[in-house]
Amino acid sequence: MNEFKNAKEEYDNTPIPQELETRVQAGVREGRARYRARRTFRRWASAAACFAVVLAALNLSPTIAKAAADVPVLGGLFRVLTVISYDATDGEINYLMSVPRLEAEGDLAQAVNDTIENRVQRHLLKARRDWDDYREAFFATGGTEEDWAGREMDVIVDYEIKSQTDSRVSFVVTLAEGWVSSMEERYYYNLDLSEDRDLTLRDYLGEDWVNVCNASIEQQIADSVDEEGFTYFFTPEEGGFTTVDESTGFYVREDGTVVVCFPRYSIAAGAAGIPEFPIA
């Protein structure tokens, strides 16, 4: 706890840097170095402190929650920790953050953690650029300070564990922006920690997984057509669904059902939300 307290005090006293990109990259390198150096609970406190230093580059002053096990140790193989958890406001931008990390032996957990960290950093930088560009364009086209007043952006990082066993976990990480327009990206992680590998649709649905998925999805799209012939889904000719492939996202529910997912707007109108298809 002393180490975490000291790290937090160091963060609170960190001056705002002049160059955002430089500090972010330095924070990423420092976070990786600390993460790889330790395999105890202190490693997670250090990771949280490093992330706090990175976020100081965004002129934030959140209270960093201590690393906490959201998932208990299961069979001694892994656990999922929330290493960053806070809500904070920086001017007109509200940050709602819940960032996960895997604690497990093997290379897979490290690779997943690195990927999540990099995606979060890029998301934070992009959100700031998007907001600055929007603000500049607003005033460049005649907007006034009075008209601008009250405008704000939500920047969200969150995750949800969909299912878990003694050796497997399926979870989704969401990165989102909410303002006059909205953006949401979801990343799907299906892992076998005992075998140190990603799980695929083939692992769950067998060698004929493509046909199994396609038949189920096509039927569900057909069932969505109402009595007047309306559906939110695009036809294949309009850019709608054609087939799944190795890049198709999915998660696994607690009952073992595989749910195939597509990005918003990719195969249906935005009003359909994020299309999800349970595969029977």
Side-chain angles (χ1 to χ4, degrees):
M1 293 302 296
N2 288 336
E3 181 179 355
F4 183 84
K5 180 179 179 182
N6 293 338
K8 183 178 182 301
E9 290 176 352
E10 177 184 350
Y11 155 67
D12 288 337
N13 295 325
T14 300
I16 301 170
Q18 295 298 316
E19 297 296 329
L20 179 60
E21 292 277 1
T22 300
R23 175 59 64 86
V24 168
Q25 292 304 319
V28 170
R29 290 193 295 270
E30 182 181 356
R32 287 178 177 172
R34 291 192 186 185
Y35 174 74
R36 289 168 178 165
R38 301 182 181 187
R39 290 185 177 274
T40 65
F41 179 81
R42 289 183 179 181
R43 170 182 57 182
W44 301 103
S46 295
C50 291
F51 240 123
V53 171
V54 171
L55 294 171
L58 297 175
N59 194 19
L60 300 177
S61 296
T63 298
I64 304 302
K66 69 178 181 179
D70 284 348
V71 178
V73 176
L74 301 172
L77 291 178
F78 75 94
R79 58 179 175 174
V80 180
L81 306 180
T82 302
V83 291
I84 298 294
S85 178
Y86 68 84
D87 297 348
T89 297
D90 175 29
E92 299 148 337
I93 302 181
N94 305 312
Y95 292 88
L96 312 172
M97 307 279 291
S98 183
V99 182
R101 271 187 178 272
L102 278 170
E103 183 180 51
E105 298 297 327
D107 296 331
L108 179 62
Q110 180 64 63
V112 169
N113 292 336
D114 285 349
T115 298
I116 292 173
E117 183 176 309
N118 289 335
R119 283 173 172 165
V120 168
Q121 297 300 336
R122 289 198 301 269
H123 177 55
L124 296 179
L125 290 170
K126 179 181 182 299
R128 171 61 73 176
R129 286 195 296 265
D130 287 345
W131 187 247
D132 289 344
D133 289 346
Y134 169 57
R135 193 177 195 283
E136 181 180 351
F138 179 86
F139 289 109
T141 54
T144 66
E145 290 288 350
E146 182 179 1
D147 293 333
W148 179 262
R151 294 172 185 263
E152 59 183 23
M153 167 193 267
D154 292 331
V155 179
I156 300 166
V157 178
D158 198 8
Y159 75 97
E160 180 181 0
I161 297 174
K162 296 294 188 177
S163 64
Q164 61 192 41
T165 68
D166 60 345
S167 61
R168 293 183 173 186
V169 63
S170 178
F171 67 98
V172 181
V173 175
T174 300
L175 309 178
E177 295 178 10
W179 39 308
V180 293
S181 62
S182 62
M183 179 280 293
E184 181 174 331
E185 296 178 342
R186 292 186 181 180
Y187 297 95
Y188 302 89
Y189 299 89
N190 302 283
L191 313 173
D192 188 321
L193 281 307
S194 65
E195 298 183 2
D196 202 38
R197 68 182 182 92
D198 293 306
L199 293 165
T200 67
L201 288 168
R202 178 180 283 103
D203 290 317
Y204 287 100
L205 302 175
E207 292 301 318
D208 197 33
W209 61 277
V210 172
N211 290 329
V212 169
C213 287
N214 288 351
S216 180
I217 292 169
E218 289 166 357
Q219 184 60 56
Q220 291 178 65
I221 291 175
D223 291 343
S224 74
V225 179
D226 66 17
E227 294 178 354
E228 297 180 353
F230 174 79
T231 179
Y232 287 118
F233 290 94
F234 307 138
T235 66
E237 293 74 22
E238 296 170 330
F241 174 75
T242 55
T243 185
V244 296
D245 58 31
E246 287 80 1
S247 67
T248 302
F250 75 97
Y251 63 83
V252 182
R253 298 194 308 213
E254 288 287 357
D255 63 4
T257 300
V258 171
V259 180
V260 171
C261 311
F262 296 89
R264 191 174 185 179
Y265 306 110
S266 62
I267 64 170
I274 294 183
E276 296 189 350
F277 300 92
I279 306 301

